[in-house]
Amino acid sequence: MQFGDFYYPLPANEPVLQYAPGSKEKAALKAALKQLKSEKIEVPMYIGADEVHTANKSTMHPPHQHKHVLGTYSEGDAGHVKKAINAALKAKDKWANLSWENRANIFLKAADLLATKYRFQMVAATMHGQSKNAYQAEIDSACELIDFLRFNVHFLSEIYRQQPISVAGIQNRVEYRPLEGFVLAVSPFNFTAIGGNLPTSAAMCGNVVVWKPAHTQVYSAQLFMRILKEAGLPNGVINLIYVDGPVLGEECFNHPDFAGVHFTGSTGVFNHMWKTIGENMSKYKSYPRIVGETGGKDFVLIHKSANPDVVVAALLRGAFEYQGQKCSAASRAYLPSNIATEIKKKMVAELKEMKMGSVEDFTNFVNAVIDEKSFDKIERYIKNARKRDSGAKVIAGGKCDKTEGYFIEPTVIETTDPYYVTMCEEIFGPVLTIYVYDENKFDDILKIVDNTSPYALTGAIIAQDRYAVELATNKLRNSAGNFYINDKPTGAVVGQQPFGGARASGTNDKAGSILNLYRWLSARTVKEVLTPVTDYRYPFLQEK
Ligand code: NAD
């Protein structure tokens, strides 16, 4: 029963702490890093009211110091997936019928807990577990996650307010029901915030969720789950399990109550999911919602009018922050011949100064890549580029060393072939490939930028010439879902730059925007006639 129309106004973005020398936050974060490093935790799965431990334990390590053990987590199997689905379905009725203000306030409380009591613990967990420096962990696991929670509450309030017109004698209304069944959230390793957003955006709409994070993100994911519990999330609304992808898929995609998947990760995995869901269509009670944000091969196009210093800063941050492991990371750049030499020279000089190492040393800009599999894959691309007849050369970085941690130097490859493999494929590491084009052939390069890769996630134009900016904005309309002018192609902020791409980069349902929430709702229209007709005959049937 509701006795009011409870509306949550537009929030402000969570301020980003700077961790400057001598600041209170720097001291607090260092203490949290030390604390987490001194303990070894045992992480359970969270299924219904139970914290589930199994005999099958996996260890968690900082990617930059893989011999150190942060703790273990319990791996589950098909039986745990079944239990998680059942726990979700059991919680469904009560949760779906809970009043909006009681649902909303759980997520707002979780945001407050993250912003205060757990802020440094969460940032430290993300630093240790995913090898992010302090700033990258702050903008991800604190600010973006807090923003997702607060902004989504506001967006959902906006949706609930959208009502159809009513005319004389008729009252119309739309109810935004949750989906029938359960939603599956499958999240990637690279953003703690995405891990948190995928299950909560659906749950906020009244859905129940089975959440499977990437194995390499369990360390921060479990902390978020504990925060949700402390904020009052009822048992079974979100069930956190750690199982292999195929095991998960087998149980969930064969279940009649499967109502939708909220996925972020690689294109190949998403394509496989889509195909399986398609093949199983006849098994489901409803058409499942399929939402996926996937890979990228993000470009920076530089016009001959660009300021070279703006270019260098955009490329260094865009390509190498978080070791290039952002779906939005700049990974191919097109340099005009008039300023290419200057840009390359400055970039190579800056890279010599860029420090790499552990997250605990705050002077390191670059840390380790996530795991050995990723390290080996990135190293292969670099080795191939070094081969004599590759059509490419490594002009900066390129050293790979996995003795202590999975370290790959920020690497710049230059190619004379705009379709060279590292211009087309997603590498997901600190590797930027550059191609120098004839400064007077801007129209030609626009075509190449558009047709080089199957992805269309982010891209940037750097130019001072306004005609060039307009031309690129128009010609590259479908080449990126997030397009930047005179900026790096990374760093989307909730509420400011709704995020997502098209083509092979996903369904473009824009995480952290109102558009995403519509996917987790199924509207019911209710028409009530206040003075019902009592005679079936229409006036036109009368001749006089
Ligand atoms: P991934 O595809 O390897 O894994 C993503 C999730 O899918 C993980 O939880 C993984 O365990 C699970 N998974 C793997 N195989 C599965 C299967 N067969 N069935 C069900 N689940 C399965 O991706 P990742 O390495 O964790 O993350 C990097 C990728 O994510 C990159 O391609 C990156 O571009 C993409 N990404 C995209 C966005 C975006 O918004 N577009 C954001 C972040 C990351």
Side-chain angles (χ1 to χ4, degrees):
M1 172 106 40
Q2 262 181 295
F3 294 104
D5 175 9
F6 301 113
Y7 178 76
Y8 294 83
L10 188 67
N13 289 113
E14 175 66 14
V16 180
L17 299 182
Q18 297 299 317
Y19 300 96
S23 61
K24 270 197 202 141
E25 67 254 26
K26 193 164 198 165
L29 180 56
K30 288 200 166 180
L33 282 165
K34 208 166 155 200
Q35 174 65 30
L36 290 185
K37 196 123 184 249
S38 69
E39 40 185 56
K40 290 194 182 19
I41 55 169
E42 269 203 31
V43 176
M45 292 182 279
Y46 292 84
I47 303 177
D50 299 330
E51 295 188 2
V52 180
H53 293 268
T54 65
N56 187 7
K57 303 266 191 256
S58 284
T59 44
M60 299 178 287
H61 313 268
H64 45 270
Q65 196 186 354
H66 47 58
K67 288 188 185 78
H68 180 81
V69 177
L70 293 166
T72 60
Y73 66 87
S74 284
E75 289 239 26
D77 55 26
H80 296 104
V81 184
K82 282 194 185 88
K83 280 190 182 146
I85 295 172
N86 290 339
L89 294 175
K90 194 172 152 212
K92 185 162 181 59
D93 257 10
K94 257 181 120 173
W95 177 244
N97 289 306
L98 187 67
S99 62
W100 168 226
E101 71 276 15
N102 276 308
R103 227 182 319 135
N105 289 350
I106 292 169
F107 299 100
L108 293 178
K109 179 166 179 180
D112 282 0
L113 286 170
L114 250 175
T116 54
K117 182 175 170 189
Y118 290 103
R119 189 184 199 108
F120 301 113
Q121 198 178 332
M122 181 56 100
V123 173
T126 300
M127 290 172 74
H128 279 319
Q130 288 138 269
S131 205
K132 286 201 172 190
N133 66 32
Y135 185 74
Q136 292 301 312
E138 164 75 14
I139 56 174
D140 164 20
S141 62
C143 303
E144 190 175 12
L145 186 45
I146 293 164
D147 285 350
F148 273 136
L149 295 164
R150 290 182 179 151
F151 278 78
N152 279 342
V153 165
H154 163 71
F155 293 139
L156 198 48
S157 276
E158 285 283 330
I159 293 177
Y160 289 151
R161 274 189 160 187
Q162 290 167 12
Q163 292 298 325
I165 55 164
S166 292
V167 294
I170 293 173
Q171 279 298 319
N172 296 316
R173 62 179 190 269
V174 165
E175 289 175 348
Y176 295 93
R177 303 168 300 180
L179 308 182
E180 275 195 285
F182 70 94
V183 171
L184 172 64
V186 184
S187 56
F189 79 83
N190 64 335
F191 279 91
T192 303
I194 296 177
N197 182 49
L198 297 192
T200 53
S201 52
M204 197 178 284
C205 297
N207 294 289
V208 287
V209 181
V210 174
W211 172 26
K212 192 209 91 62
H215 291 290
T216 37
Q217 196 248 321
V218 171
Y219 193 60
S220 54
Q222 57 84 29
L223 177 56
F224 184 58
M225 188 69 204
R226 288 196 277 130
I227 292 171
L228 287 174
K229 292 257 177 199
E230 186 171 327
L233 189 75
N235 293 330
V237 173
I238 293 175
N239 301 278
L240 175 60
I241 54 173
Y242 322 121
V243 291
D244 280 339
V247 175
L248 180 82
E250 182 61 26
E251 294 304 320
C252 294
F253 299 144
N254 275 304
H255 201 289
D257 291 302
F258 170 65
V261 58
H262 202 187
F263 175 79
T264 300
S266 56
T267 303
V269 171
F270 188 53
N271 289 353
H272 179 70
M273 284 182 172
W274 194 300
K275 186 164 168 267
T276 312
I277 295 166
E279 283 166 359
N280 289 344
M281 238 357 276
S282 60
K283 296 179 183 166
Y284 308 133
K285 292 180 183 160
S286 309
Y287 288 100
R289 303 286 169 89
I290 309 177
V291 176
E293 298 304 330
T294 56
K297 187 70 199 173
D298 311 297
F299 61 84
V300 178
L301 171 58
I302 296 127
H303 184 253
K304 62 184 177 188
S305 65
N307 173 342
D309 291 332
V310 171
V311 175
V312 173
L315 289 179
L316 292 176
R317 283 188 175 178
F320 302 124
E321 278 183 319
Y322 192 38
Q323 298 75 262
Q325 299 172 116
K326 299 189 184 188
C327 48
S328 54
S331 60
R332 52 184 171 124
Y334 300 83
L335 274 50
S337 46
N338 62 324
I339 48 173
T341 310
E342 182 184 351
I343 292 169
K344 281 191 275 180
K345 215 170 124 197
K346 285 186 166 162
M347 209 159 53
V348 171
E350 292 279 28
L351 281 171
K352 286 200 177 114
E353 306 287 309
M354 200 179 265
K355 279 186 68 191
M356 180 168 74
S358 163
V359 298
E360 286 163 85
D361 176 350
F362 280 38
T363 64
N364 289 324
F365 186 85
V366 176
N367 313 110
V369 300
I370 194 71
D371 59 14
E372 187 162 23
K373 192 170 155 225
S374 193
F375 176 95
D376 291 346
K377 177 182 158 193
I378 301 163
E379 189 181 36
R380 258 195 316 276
Y381 279 106
I382 296 174
K383 277 188 176 158
N384 286 339
R386 285 193 198 281
K387 286 184 184 156
R388 206 185 305 159
D389 55 356
S390 71
K393 59 179 189 257
V394 175
I395 65 165
K399 271 200 215 108
C400 306
D401 183 347
K402 58 181 173 185
T403 338
E404 291 279 316
Y406 305 112
F407 288 109
I408 299 202
E409 269 184 356
T411 301
V412 181
I413 296 173
E414 181 171 2
T415 180
T416 49
D417 172 7
Y419 298 104
Y420 179 66
V421 61
T422 61
M423 291 295 279
C424 306
E425 292 179 10
E426 184 181 50
I427 302 172
F428 224 60
V431 180
L432 171 70
T433 307
I434 58 174
Y435 170 74
V436 179
Y437 71 94
D438 179 341
E439 73 198 69
N440 296 314
K441 294 196 173 156
F442 192 59
D443 281 318
D444 294 350
I445 203 68
L446 282 167
K447 288 195 195 96
I448 291 174
V449 171
D450 180 57
N451 68 23
T452 293
S453 113
Y455 301 107
L457 190 52
T458 74
I461 169 74
I462 302 186
Q464 299 193 69
D465 177 337
R466 221 52 233 194
Y467 291 112
V469 168
E470 183 162 280
L471 187 65
T473 308
N474 291 337
K475 293 277 179 190
L476 300 174
R477 174 154 292 125
N478 293 311
S479 320
N482 283 59
F483 189 69
Y484 294 81
I485 299 168
N486 290 323
D487 195 10
K488 62 187 170 53
T490 59
V493 175
V494 176
Q496 295 190 34
Q497 296 95 21
F499 190 79
R503 296 186 185 162
S505 290
T507 53
N508 200 14
D509 289 295
K510 296 290 188 217
S513 84
I514 199 165
L515 295 171
N516 181 277
L517 297 178
Y518 284 114
R519 302 302 310 272
W520 311 117
L521 297 164
S522 173
R524 177 171 83 142
T525 305
V526 180
K527 172 189 174 187
E528 180 173 343
V529 178
L530 303 179
T531 43
V533 291
T534 51
D535 182 355
Y536 85 91
R537 292 170 196 83
Y538 290 105
F540 80 90
L541 294 168
Q542 315 282 330
E543 279 298 5
K544 357 182 191 139

